[in-house]
Amino acid sequence: TGKFESVPSHVWACTLLWVRLKIACPALGKIVNNENFYERLTVHDLGETYPGDVSMAIKIAGELDLGKKEEKEAYLELVKEFPSEGRMTLEKWFDELENNQTGEVPLEVLVLRWIDNLQGDHFALTYGSNLPDHSETIEKIVKKRSAARGRELIDFLRKKAFERVDMWGLYEDATSEVEEVMRVHIDLIRKAGIRIDLSDFGF
């Protein structure tokens, strides 16, 4: 429809989406460190301040990591005046979000990736035009992002349910909550007339 979303608008929409999802997903809300999550969310697209964002439609037509080098350079430039400890934390957060680090990814990062893509899908569903005509592109985007990240979060929560016996019930409930959100989300995509097969992801 010609509607564009600024980076601050996206961050604000992600923040409100998490406020809403915490109510809909009380178990998930209890196990996420909200202070850490909100701090990460606030700066997660800081590197897009100067270069801007590269849309997923462009990325999947070419290179998935298109623009990431410039985004990291801009991010590092913006945080370079921070005291060393704070700067190192912010650099670590960027690398964790972009999967540039080894080891287990924190739950807050997995939830942030998930929220980031749910919000992007929602914006497209709300303001996109002729969506059924673009089913093939949309399917590729959803498979690369919201479906993959929803599955990643579900698998993490299920694994933690068996590792954290003391919190088994909470992790199981959180898993069910995320699965239900994904079912509703994918249903909205299909109701918009978009043909999409997510059986590989269990949706």
Side-chain angles (χ1 to χ4, degrees):
T1 61
K3 174 94 172 165
F4 292 92
E5 184 177 47
S6 68
V7 173
S9 293
H10 163 67
V11 173
W12 180 239
C14 285
T15 303
L16 294 179
L17 178 56
W18 177 238
V19 169
R20 180 69 182 268
L21 281 175
K22 272 202 312 169
I23 297 167
C25 305
L28 183 65
K30 284 178 185 171
I31 57 178
V32 168
N33 179 327
N34 278 286
E35 181 180 356
N36 182 276
F37 178 80
Y38 281 122
E39 288 179 353
R40 287 175 184 267
L41 191 154
T42 303
V43 300
H44 84 277
D45 277 337
L46 191 63
E48 294 175 2
T49 302
Y50 298 122
D53 191 14
V54 179
S55 78
M56 275 301 296
I58 293 171
K59 287 181 180 180
I60 63 166
E63 182 185 343
L64 198 58
D65 289 330
L66 193 66
K68 282 299 170 189
K69 180 175 177 286
E70 292 78 10
E71 185 178 337
K72 183 164 187 182
E73 287 172 356
Y75 185 94
L76 294 176
E77 178 66 23
L78 285 163
V79 304
K80 72 178 184 181
E81 301 297 333
F82 277 62
S84 59
E85 186 177 343
R87 187 181 69 252
M88 289 186 332
T89 296
L90 289 167
E91 289 176 13
K92 178 173 173 277
W93 286 355
F94 182 94
D95 287 333
E96 284 176 338
L97 188 65
E98 298 301 328
N99 227 355
N100 295 334
Q101 292 199 169
T102 55
E104 185 173 87
V105 178
L107 173 61
E108 291 71 27
V109 173
L110 296 178
V111 174
L112 177 50
R113 288 176 185 164
W114 182 54
I115 295 281
D116 189 30
N117 295 127
L118 288 183
Q119 192 278 329
D121 286 358
H122 183 262
F123 185 87
L125 286 171
T126 303
Y127 296 107
S129 54
N130 305 317
L131 294 175
D133 294 344
H134 304 286
S135 289
E136 185 179 346
T137 299
I138 293 167
E139 182 180 47
K140 287 178 183 177
I141 292 170
V142 171
K143 283 182 173 180
K144 288 282 185 188
R145 289 294 191 246
S146 55
R149 284 165 173 184
R151 174 50 54 194
E152 183 181 35
L153 178 57
I154 289 164
D155 291 345
F156 176 92
L157 292 167
R158 188 160 282 135
K159 177 172 170 274
K160 283 294 176 187
F162 289 99
E163 290 177 357
R164 295 290 307 273
V165 180
D166 58 320
M167 294 175 66
W168 179 86
L170 200 56
Y171 277 103
E172 278 292 299
D173 289 347
T175 303
S176 298
E177 290 168 353
V178 174
E179 287 175 332
E180 182 60 23
V181 170
M182 287 304 300
R183 277 193 290 270
V184 171
H185 183 69
I186 300 306
D187 191 45
L188 286 172
I189 293 172
R190 290 181 173 134
K191 281 180 176 175
I194 299 160
R195 298 174 303 281
I196 187 166
D197 178 9
L198 298 175
S199 53
D200 288 350
F201 298 90
F203 303 130

